[in-house]
Amino acid sequence: MSQWLDQVIEQAANLPAEGWLAQQRHMSLAKLKNRRWPSRKTEAWRYTSLSPIEKRQPLTETSDTATVAVPNINGLDCIDLVFSQGQLVSELSSVCLPEGVRVFSLNSADARELADGRFTAIKPERHLFGLINDSLIEAGVVIHIAEGVKVKQPIRIVNVTSGHADNHSRLLVSVAQRASAVIIEHGEGVDDSMNTAFSEFDIAAEASLEHYRFALFTDSALHAGGSHFRLADSSYLNSTILGFGSKLSRLDVDVEYTGENANADINAMYLLAEGENFDFQSCIEHAVPHCTTDEKVRGIVGDKAKANFNGRIHIHRHAQKTLAELNNRNLLLSRGGQINTKPELEIYADDVKCAHGATIAEIEERALYYLLSRGISRSQALIMLNFGFIQELINEINNEAIREWMTELLRTRFARMEVK
Amino acid sequence: MTEQIEQALSRQYEAGFVSEIESETFEAGLNEDIIRRLSAMKNEPEWMLEWRLKAYRTWLEMDDPDWAHLDYPPIDYQAVSYYSAPKSMKDKPKSLDEVDPELLRTYEKLGIPLHEQEMLAGVAVDAVFDSVSVVTTFREKLEEAGVIFCPISEAVHKYPELVKKYLGSVVPRSDNYFAALNSAVFTDGSFVYIPKGVRCPMELSTYFRINEQNTGQFERTLIVADEGSYVSYLEGCTAPQRDENQLHAAVVELVALDDAKIKYSTVQNWYPGDEQGRGGIYNFVTKRGICHTNAKISWTQVETGSAITWKYPSCVLKGDNSVGEFYSVALTRGRQQADTGTKMIHLGKNTRSTIISKGISARDSNNAYRGLVQMGPKADGARNFTQCDSLLIGDQCGAHTFPYIESRNPSAIVEHEATTSKVSDEQMFLCQQRGLDPEKAVSMIVNGFCKEVFKELPMEFAVEAGKLLEISLEGSVG
Amino acid sequence: MLSIKNLTASVEEKTILKGLNLEVKPGEVHAIMGPNGAGKSTLGYVLSGREGYEVESGGAELNGKDLLDMDIEERAREGLFLAFQYPVEIPGVSNMEFMKESVNAIREQRGEEPLSAAEFLKKAKEACKQVHLPLDFLKRGVNEGFSGGEKKRNEIMQMILLQPTLCILDESDSGLDIDALQVVAEGVNSQRSEDRSFIVVTHYQRLLDYIKPDFVHILADGKIVKSGDASLALEVESEGYAFLNKVEATA
């Protein structure tokens, strides 16, 4: 058992006992108490050491919320809901919402109704930090998109944390039948902050969701979060994930199909330098027939950084006619860096098409030679080729402002990395 | 259509007979006394007994591994007998004429005649029956070339320096739970030494047979290929049809010194249990080889038997430019469960590895590939290619892939691909329209699926393998 | 040779053939033409016994034996050969090994000894040459990575090797350029004999310039609506299938 977890349990027990959320916390806390702290033998933490969290000093005072700036995405016209240092700082009542969109604080009675059958039900219980988040949350928002409403304007949930502060926030999104929405989860953390941001998305029949999750934690920041999706009949999910690395950053994405003919396209990227760690794990549950998953994960790892990817596709019995493809490609740029990847298939139905591939490589010599022969300098050629590898996924992003912002962000980050 | 395919696959287990042989069998149970008695039976030197006892004490401290995709009740290690040998073997027959004819008949029935004149020319056989080696053929001929091929129990006496140097050098006693158990109680198995620069003049093979009830088989194989030598080795295994599960925990260690090549092929056909999952062998095997500079180890396995298969033949590519290969076909039917694959540990520069795994699951069985490809920090220019294909037959089976890929070297390249497919109705229709019956059609399509692996089996053994398996693999080779 | 009487058959509970009659005598070549969806491919599948094609009523006899009562492979061994429109790939199974099994299964049925490897190889090479397939196609997986034209020629190669009595060619011309078409047609023509019959299913008249039919039938809505000699095909060519409306109106 970890001392840190003991503190969490104690802290959770001291939170206010009133309201529906307190009941929820209580239930999760009971489960958390029975949980064993992961060791290196725990499969889910095989490649990521939890020792930075174990050594974390307890919080003494709630930190100042005013010091943290909200990150800007140029040209993006979005509705921002901001959590800073673990507190919801946006005045929900004053946010101007499009027709058919409702936003509540997780504590409210309205939220309770929407949370029924969704909150803690979409997120699988196996995530330790999900349970920790369950037990500690005080702040969160619930978003509901009404039936048939197509919301073009992106809604962005920002989580920013700095200094020695904790941020345990929560998001629940319900996209009703035939509705559509664009949701951005934007997390940033620096210093020795800690963030556990978990979100649950219920996508109803024929609804669609364009989703982004930016896990931009750096330096000594600690992060363990997750985005969890439930897809009903003929619904569609398009998710783009970007991860930077920090002392410890872990992101879990789960997709569960509960209705037939639903599709999910997931593109994930990570670009790691210095001594950063990023651990990305996805689990796709094909529980019903006729659904399609296309997941592409690409990573570039330089310096002494370490990337881990675990991508599981689980085809349940009777989930016939499933199409599932997972592709993970990595570039390892430097001696001292490390990439671990495990694409997993677990299949119990025969009439399915499933494939996965994983590669770890260096830049193809022929491509490099081709560029050099056109007069491009070696360093420039390497940057072009390395970046091109990620650019392919960036190009698939629907939102132009995000596409440009991400290109710029990654180019800047890439330029700082040392290319052999 | 699926029903036809399943029927085609549900064949009888033809090696399921019991030989009427009077045996001397230890009572069930495991403790230090048992190990001392076992060691005394074999007249072992003190150092060997000590080695076993250390392994036993290590084993006591370890836990049964639970990470594999396998489901079986806890094994009662005290309910197993750790030694059983035909009484007739006690007097150590000096030639084949002195061996109990019933024993020879057993091997004949399995298609392995032990009289040299009747044997396939060019194949030497070590026949291991329960806990002892019955006979090793062509020894004189091999000795002329300087090749040592004998039961490991004999090697402990005759070549103690070689055994001391290499036993446990690739798979240490504490490597894993089953390796520790084997190190404590192994009874027999084969020892091979190929001297420098020698190309072994014959294919070597060991045929393992479990006969006695409630016994386990714990064999140990050690193959040392000295610099620049070459050897091709095949093992086969069968057991009687019984309602109880029987335990088999083997360890195989291969040492390929500089420029040596070892080709190791397995045709595993232990009793798989019946359609309801009653009986069958629990097969927990640790196989690993170490490759020194420019050396090559190639594992080929055809796994069709056992109720449980837990097996990961691996290569430690220590020397620069060394090569590791793993070719596997695993077929599970009924309620069989297999969790098998390989580890390729790239330590040296320009090391290469290839993994081709073909899993076929039918009925209620589960078949998992589990592999590790590791590129160490010094493995400059190393390459791995992995292809894992699964064929599912029917909608009640499971096919799984768990590949672990770890790289710490920027110039190393790893490529992994996995696919799943089924025997399609269109393929069956085409074959039948051309006059093939459904059984033939299935076996042809399944064989086509496995072709890349079957072509790795040595020619001489492909015939033998076919006989051992009694699975219609005709036409799959070449 | 082949006698089809009032054959009615359905796929997924949809009736495709609706009382089809056809008599094919030894040595004859019958062309079956018709618009898309008329049931042309269905006829070949029903006769060869493909799963999912249900015979509701009527009958079909091959050389006096009830064809519909037999398994797929029994029909094949009786001498029925279907050249597929879209031949399936069987990875890893070589053409050679596949055909050797097939030839010997059919020889066994005829009470003939299996061919030795050398005899078989000789025949296989000849068959390949006849359809201009390079010999290495024998070693390749069945249809694995073959182009459309190669697949079609491979079907004819198999037909030549198997020496069937009734050959059904299902759109063996589709997707072929003129050179490939001629190769296929030459392959077929070389096999014409007094005791072998052909049913050539095609959408276009083009193939029939090279394989001269004795009879041409127009199949529409599951029935043969018009029969005639080779000139009927030319009529279809110039007028299209539109005239069928007239036929139906008068029927």
Side-chain angles (χ1 to χ4, degrees):
Chain A
M1 187 52 90
S2 113
Q3 223 184 338
W4 182 80
L5 186 61
D6 289 342
Q7 287 161 20
V8 164
I9 290 169
E10 200 189 314
Q11 190 186 340
N14 291 331
L15 287 174
E18 289 104 51
W20 78 273
L21 197 56
Q23 282 174 10
Q24 288 287 341
R25 278 200 301 260
H26 193 73
M27 271 155 45
S28 294
L29 184 60
K31 288 174 191 157
L32 185 62
K33 282 177 179 165
N34 289 322
R35 216 30 104 73
R36 278 170 68 178
W37 186 248
S39 73
R40 271 296 166 91
K41 283 189 174 173
T42 310
E43 190 63 25
W45 295 94
R46 188 183 176 94
Y47 296 109
T48 296
S49 163
L50 282 169
S51 71
I53 291 181
E54 286 161 28
K55 289 183 199 138
R56 186 168 169 78
Q57 294 300 313
L59 286 183
T60 42
E61 276 301 308
T62 312
S63 349
D64 182 8
T65 56
T67 54
V68 189
V70 173
N72 180 40
I73 297 179
N74 254 339
L76 183 71
D77 168 30
C78 63
I79 300 157
D80 275 349
L81 303 169
V82 180
F83 292 91
S84 179
Q85 310 293 76
Q87 304 297 316
L88 179 62
V89 293
S90 303
E91 275 298 330
L92 292 183
S93 53
S94 64
V95 174
C96 176
L97 294 168
E99 183 80 24
V101 180
R102 293 183 297 160
V103 175
F104 309 106
S105 160
L106 189 58
N107 273 314
S108 68
D110 291 318
R112 179 184 194 163
E113 201 179 309
L114 278 166
D116 198 33
R118 298 186 176 100
F119 183 74
T120 70
I122 300 174
K123 172 175 68 66
E125 223 175 270
R126 66 171 186 280
H127 299 303
L128 174 70
F129 286 90
L131 277 183
I132 290 171
N133 179 284
D134 286 351
S135 309
L136 293 177
I137 25 163
E138 289 181 273
V141 291
V142 177
I143 300 173
H144 181 260
I145 315 291
E147 200 175 318
V149 174
K150 318 266 183 210
V151 187
K152 294 235 163 54
Q153 192 182 18
I155 302 170
R156 185 170 71 144
I157 294 81
V158 180
N159 263 292
V160 281
T161 326
S162 67
H164 187 66
D166 274 14
N167 186 339
H168 305 290
S169 65
R170 193 61 170 256
L171 170 67
L172 176 66
V173 176
S174 161
V175 187
Q177 289 189 23
R178 296 187 317 283
S180 72
V182 183
I183 305 277
I184 302 162
E185 296 184 78
H186 192 146
E188 293 196 359
V190 291
D191 306 331
D192 61 339
S193 62
M194 168 149 197
N195 181 300
T196 69
F198 282 82
S199 54
E200 291 167 288
F201 296 85
D202 188 22
I203 309 171
E206 293 170 58
S208 80
L209 174 69
E210 185 178 323
H211 168 260
Y212 298 89
R213 179 149 188 164
F214 308 134
L216 311 180
F217 300 87
T218 51
D219 310 326
S220 299
L222 307 174
H223 162 247
S227 295
H228 314 282
F229 303 89
R230 187 162 73 193
L231 273 74
D233 291 9
S234 305
S235 61
Y236 176 63
L237 166 69
N238 180 317
S239 176
T240 303
I241 292 149
L242 172 65
F244 286 175
S246 68
K247 199 170 193 179
L248 189 165
S249 181
R250 160 72 175 254
L251 182 64
D252 281 279
V253 168
D254 294 283
V255 174
E256 188 192 2
Y257 294 96
T258 56
E260 299 188 10
N261 300 307
N263 299 328
D265 291 325
I266 301 165
N267 284 353
M269 293 156 262
Y270 39 85
L271 188 58
L272 314 180
E274 293 169 12
E276 298 168 354
N277 295 295
F278 185 62
D279 190 341
F280 176 55
Q281 310 214 351
S282 68
C283 179
I284 316 291
E285 299 283 352
H286 280 271
V288 294
H290 292 285
C291 294
T292 303
T293 302
D294 185 5
E295 182 176 351
K296 296 194 278 277
V297 179
R298 295 207 181 161
I300 299 182
V301 174
D303 302 333
K304 305 252 177 257
K306 181 167 84 170
N308 301 311
F309 170 62
N310 193 109
R312 180 168 186 261
I313 293 176
H314 180 188
I315 316 288
H316 296 236
R317 190 137 287 152
H318 309 306
Q320 299 291 13
K321 305 284 178 193
T322 292
L323 301 177
E325 220 175 301
L326 166 65
N327 186 287
N328 172 230
R329 291 171 60 189
N330 299 281
L331 292 176
L332 181 57
L333 302 184
S334 58
R335 206 171 280 276
Q338 189 181 340
I339 292 171
N340 305 302
T341 170
K342 182 166 74 122
E344 288 180 56
L345 287 174
E346 204 170 330
I347 300 176
Y348 297 94
D350 59 339
D351 195 8
V352 299
K353 283 204 172 69
C354 293
H356 70 216
T359 58
I360 303 175
E362 56 177 352
I363 289 299
E364 223 190 297
E365 278 304 321
R366 279 185 315 169
L368 182 61
Y369 172 72
Y370 186 78
L371 265 66
L372 295 178
S373 73
R374 295 291 179 268
I376 296 163
S377 77
R378 190 176 176 85
S379 60
Q380 185 57 29
L382 284 169
I383 289 173
M384 284 168 71
L385 290 171
N386 281 314
F387 201 73
F389 175 80
I390 288 252
Q391 186 79 49
E392 282 179 61
L393 292 194
I394 296 178
N395 290 346
E396 290 183 22
I397 291 173
N398 281 327
N399 186 299
E400 198 188 334
I402 293 178
R403 207 162 54 223
E404 284 177 8
W405 168 77
M406 207 189 269
T407 306
E408 193 51 41
L409 183 72
L410 292 183
R411 270 191 191 282
T412 313
R413 190 170 170 82
F414 193 78
R416 289 211 319 262
M417 284 170 73
E418 197 176 316
V419 178
K420 322 171 262 194
Chain B
M1 197 61 84
T2 303
E3 209 168 290
Q4 283 180 332
I5 298 170
E6 285 184 352
Q7 252 171 17
L9 280 170
S10 63
R11 62 192 167 88
Q12 290 293 310
Y13 184 73
E14 305 217 351
F17 63 89
V18 179
S19 305
E20 289 302 325
I21 281 170
E22 225 187 319
S23 287
E24 179 172 6
T25 304
F26 279 12
E27 68 277 12
L30 181 57
N31 51 51
E32 292 202 4
D33 280 348
I34 289 278
I35 293 167
R36 283 174 208 283
R37 263 171 70 195
L38 191 153
S39 184
M41 289 295 287
K42 299 199 168 280
N43 231 340
E44 283 177 353
E46 188 61 26
W47 61 266
M48 195 66 250
L49 174 63
E50 278 309 311
W51 200 85
R52 289 175 180 279
L53 290 172
K54 274 184 195 154
Y56 176 69
R57 286 161 200 154
T58 309
W59 179 74
L60 286 177
E61 304 290 312
M62 298 172 90
D63 291 321
D64 241 317
D66 60 357
W67 40 259
H69 194 279
L70 299 169
D71 183 21
Y72 56 92
I75 297 168
D76 182 358
Y77 293 93
Q78 296 303 334
V80 176
S81 163
Y82 290 84
Y83 184 85
S84 177
K87 278 193 172 156
S88 62
M89 291 304 296
K90 207 165 183 189
D91 309 328
K92 301 228 164 65
K94 297 206 171 41
S95 74
L96 216 49
D97 303 333
E98 292 176 28
V99 173
D100 180 357
E102 185 59 30
L103 275 173
L104 297 180
R105 262 198 298 281
T106 300
Y107 285 91
E108 240 157 71
K109 265 169 110 171
L110 295 166
I112 321 285
L114 296 177
H115 289 283
E116 291 185 5
Q117 60 273 29
E118 292 168 20
M119 292 194 50
L120 281 165
V123 183
V125 178
D126 182 14
V128 177
F129 191 91
D130 288 332
S131 303
V132 290
S133 170
V134 175
V135 69
T136 310
T137 64
F138 292 114
R139 286 176 63 168
E140 292 76 17
K141 193 174 172 202
L142 290 168
E143 271 163 27
E144 282 168 28
V147 172
I148 302 169
F149 180 39
C150 70
I152 197 155
S153 53
E154 194 182 312
V156 169
H157 295 283
K158 286 172 84 173
Y159 313 101
E161 292 317 309
L162 281 173
V163 174
K164 270 191 213 168
K165 183 169 177 189
Y166 292 110
L167 190 72
S169 70
V170 190
V171 179
R173 286 186 300 249
S174 59
D175 188 77
N176 68 71
Y177 190 75
F178 298 106
L181 176 64
N182 174 285
S183 300
V185 301
F186 76 88
T187 45
D188 228 327
S190 304
F191 174 75
V192 175
Y193 174 78
I194 317 289
K196 270 185 197 171
V198 170
R199 188 182 170 88
C200 184
M202 317 180 81
E203 305 269 1
L204 306 183
S205 78
T206 303
Y207 193 87
F208 296 98
R209 175 76 178 170
I210 298 179
N211 188 60
E212 193 63 23
Q213 198 156 4
N214 296 327
T215 60
Q217 194 175 54
F218 307 91
E219 85 269 8
R220 185 116 194 165
T221 298
L222 174 59
I223 299 178
V224 180
D226 213 326
E227 291 172 18
S229 68
Y230 169 84
V231 62
S232 169
Y233 179 93
L234 177 106
E235 59 171 1
C237 14
T238 58
Q241 197 158 340
R242 296 188 192 280
D243 284 346
E244 300 79 33
N245 298 108
Q246 280 181 281
L247 181 61
H248 173 253
V251 171
V252 174
E253 295 177 278
L254 308 185
V255 179
L257 296 174
D258 294 357
D259 302 302
K261 287 187 173 63
I262 301 176
K263 184 174 178 62
Y264 193 105
S265 314
T266 303
V267 177
Q268 186 264 103
N269 188 26
W270 295 116
Y271 177 57
D274 64 14
E275 290 288 317
Q276 279 72 47
R278 269 192 309 261
I281 301 289
Y282 285 177
N283 190 32
F284 298 97
V285 175
T286 306
K287 292 184 167 177
R288 193 178 303 151
I290 187 161
C291 284
H292 292 267
T293 306
N294 297 326
K296 175 177 172 180
I297 288 178
S298 179
W299 298 99
T300 304
Q301 60 172 26
V302 178
E303 302 280 318
T304 62
S306 297
I308 301 274
T309 299
W310 180 100
K311 185 182 168 191
Y312 317 91
S314 306
C315 297
V316 180
L317 303 172
K318 186 178 174 211
D320 293 350
N321 311 313
S322 59
V323 177
E325 293 175 341
F326 175 74
Y327 299 95
S328 171
V329 165
L331 169 71
T332 54
R333 290 158 297 136
R335 294 189 187 272
Q336 280 178 274
Q337 303 177 62
D339 193 296
T340 183
T342 184
K343 292 189 223 176
M344 292 292 173
I345 312 293
H346 291 253
L347 301 177
K349 288 188 180 64
N350 297 316
T351 45
R352 300 268 187 281
S353 65
T354 303
I355 299 170
I356 307 286
S357 164
K358 304 279 180 175
I360 303 143
S361 341
R363 288 281 164 134
D364 306 303
S365 70
N366 271 289
N367 201 328
Y369 166 82
R370 185 180 303 277
L372 168 66
V373 173
Q374 197 175 62
M375 297 295 183
K378 294 190 176 123
D380 293 353
R383 298 279 183 276
N384 160 267
F385 175 76
T386 302
Q387 175 79 47
C388 293
D389 298 319
S390 304
L391 189 70
L392 290 100
I393 297 173
D395 57 4
Q396 296 301 307
C397 59
H400 320 300
T401 316
F402 307 107
Y404 293 77
I405 302 164
E406 305 174 0
S407 180
R408 287 165 162 267
N409 190 299
S411 66
I413 295 180
V414 184
E415 278 178 85
H416 169 96
E417 282 171 25
T419 65
T420 61
S421 58
K422 58 181 253 175
V423 177
S424 77
D425 292 353
E426 286 80 13
Q427 290 173 335
M428 286 295 284
F429 180 50
L430 173 64
C431 291
Q432 286 179 266
Q433 210 299 307
R434 296 297 184 256
L436 308 186
D437 56 41
E439 288 76 19
K440 186 70 218 174
V442 171
S443 109
M444 195 173 249
I445 293 166
V446 169
N447 275 308
F449 174 75
C450 300
K451 180 164 247 165
E452 284 164 278
V453 175
F454 285 147
K455 73 174 171 29
E456 295 299 324
L457 282 174
M459 263 308 200
E460 292 86 338
F461 292 141
V463 184
E464 201 177 338
K467 266 193 256 166
L468 291 176
L469 278 162
E470 281 302 326
I471 191 172
S472 35
L473 299 183
E474 299 133 68
S476 62
V477 179
Chain C
M1 165 88 47
L2 176 71
S3 172
I4 305 174
K5 292 219 169 70
N6 207 17
L7 187 64
T8 299
S10 61
V11 183
E12 288 172 358
E13 293 178 7
K14 190 175 169 223
T15 307
I16 309 284
L17 298 182
K18 300 169 181 170
L20 185 137
N21 290 293
L22 184 65
E23 288 287 332
V24 178
K25 296 201 171 58
E28 290 177 352
V29 175
H30 291 245
I32 294 189
M33 303 182 70
N36 288 329
K40 300 193 301 291
S41 291
T42 301
L43 178 61
Y45 290 147
V46 171
L47 292 179
S48 59
R50 182 169 199 165
E51 202 168 295
Y53 289 75
E54 299 294 330
V55 174
E56 289 171 2
S57 63
E61 287 184 355
L62 182 65
N63 300 324
K65 289 185 187 165
D66 182 358
L67 198 56
L68 305 181
D69 204 32
M70 291 185 245
D71 287 337
I72 306 168
E73 64 272 24
E74 287 172 332
R75 301 179 199 207
R77 292 170 192 176
E78 282 296 331
L80 186 146
F81 180 90
L82 175 64
F84 290 83
Q85 186 181 1
Y86 303 110
V88 65
E89 300 189 3
I90 311 181
V93 176
S94 78
N95 240 338
M96 175 117 82
E97 150 191 355
F98 177 55
M99 274 300 99
K100 190 157 182 282
E101 283 299 333
S102 178
V103 164
N104 286 334
I106 288 167
R107 287 180 69 90
E108 195 185 335
Q109 171 82 8
R110 293 179 188 156
E112 296 166 357
E113 287 292 307
L115 289 179
S116 73
E119 284 168 320
F120 172 77
L121 189 61
K122 190 162 166 269
K123 284 181 190 286
K125 281 182 176 171
E126 280 164 16
C128 275
K129 277 183 199 148
Q130 257 188 288
V131 293
H132 301 223
L133 273 183
L135 292 182
D136 68 335
F137 273 64
L138 287 171
K139 287 187 197 148
R140 286 172 58 179
V142 176
N143 295 318
E144 204 180 346
F146 291 17
S147 71
E150 286 163 349
K151 283 182 181 171
K152 293 288 169 74
R153 280 187 275 156
N154 197 38
E155 293 290 289
I156 303 303
M157 187 277 282
Q158 294 180 17
M159 183 184 87
I160 293 170
L161 259 177
L162 295 178
Q163 297 286 299
T165 51
L166 175 67
C167 311
I168 303 170
L169 310 179
D170 188 5
E171 310 229 1
S172 294
D173 53 334
S174 66
L176 296 186
D177 62 29
I178 198 73
D179 293 336
L181 185 74
Q182 281 182 14
V183 170
V184 165
E186 278 163 22
V188 172
N189 288 332
S190 74
Q191 298 301 302
R192 289 178 73 156
S193 76
E194 278 175 15
D195 47 12
R196 181 170 299 128
S197 311
F198 291 84
I199 295 175
V200 181
V201 174
T202 181
H203 187 75
Y204 301 105
Q205 188 271 340
R206 191 173 71 141
L207 179 65
L208 305 179
D209 285 342
Y210 300 95
I211 304 173
K212 296 283 181 212
D214 299 307
F215 301 96
V216 174
H217 310 280
I218 307 299
L219 183 67
D221 193 28
K223 278 187 290 227
I224 288 177
V225 294
K226 195 167 184 183
S227 297
D229 59 14
S231 63
L232 180 58
L234 294 167
E235 203 178 315
V236 170
E237 174 76 356
S238 59
E239 296 185 26
Y241 289 104
F243 77 96
L244 289 175
N245 299 329
K246 277 185 280 174
V247 176
E248 268 165 33
T250 57

